[in-house]
Amino acid sequence: MTLSLLLTTVAKKSDARRLSTTALQHRVAACIQIVSGIESHYVWKGKKTTSREFLLIAKTSPRKRKSLEKLWKKLHPYDCPELLHLSGQAASTYARWVSDSTR
């Protein structure tokens, strides 16, 4: 069964928790993992930048992915948030749980 993942990063743990809590309350994600200790390197406004961030990995159903993306885009503290979508096959029992959790 197909499962969708949506990834984003934020600078503050409080923002990571707020995005996670809101997504779960709206039932657009079944599970969100917050990974700390991410070190991001990128060019922003012509300047090489390094920052510490928190990575959010949201598991959702394909039918709820766009709703989750829209919600996170609205709530995200960044001007240009990373919203990276991945799709793949998951074990059927886990995929069913994700689907049931996002109804």
Side-chain angles (χ1 to χ4, degrees):
M1 294 180 77
T2 303
L3 185 71
S4 291
L5 301 177
L6 189 63
L7 287 71
T8 195
T9 54
V10 293
K12 298 178 184 174
K13 193 170 204 173
S14 60
D15 288 329
R17 288 179 172 161
R18 181 174 52 85
L19 290 173
S20 296
T21 299
T22 305
L24 293 172
Q25 288 172 339
H26 283 82
R27 295 184 63 117
V28 293
C31 174
I32 302 165
Q33 295 169 310
I34 300 172
V35 183
S36 61
I38 301 297
E39 183 178 287
S40 296
H41 298 257
Y42 52 96
V43 176
W44 180 248
K45 297 183 178 179
K47 183 180 175 187
K48 192 217 177 264
T49 305
T50 301
S51 61
R52 296 271 180 205
E53 294 185 296
F54 294 88
L55 172 66
L56 284 78
I57 305 168
K59 286 87 170 195
T60 189
S61 61
R63 74 184 190 301
K64 291 290 183 158
R65 183 193 57 85
K66 287 189 179 189
S67 297
L68 174 58
E69 186 174 329
K70 184 178 176 181
L71 179 67
W72 275 5
K73 187 181 271 187
K74 177 182 165 187
L75 298 174
H76 208 287
Y78 289 178
D79 292 336
C80 181
E82 169 193 17
L83 295 167
L84 179 62
H85 167 245
L86 303 171
S87 182
Q89 296 299 308
S92 60
T93 52
Y94 187 78
R96 272 195 297 276
W97 172 76
V98 169
S99 181
D100 290 346
S101 297
T102 56
R103 287 192 184 199

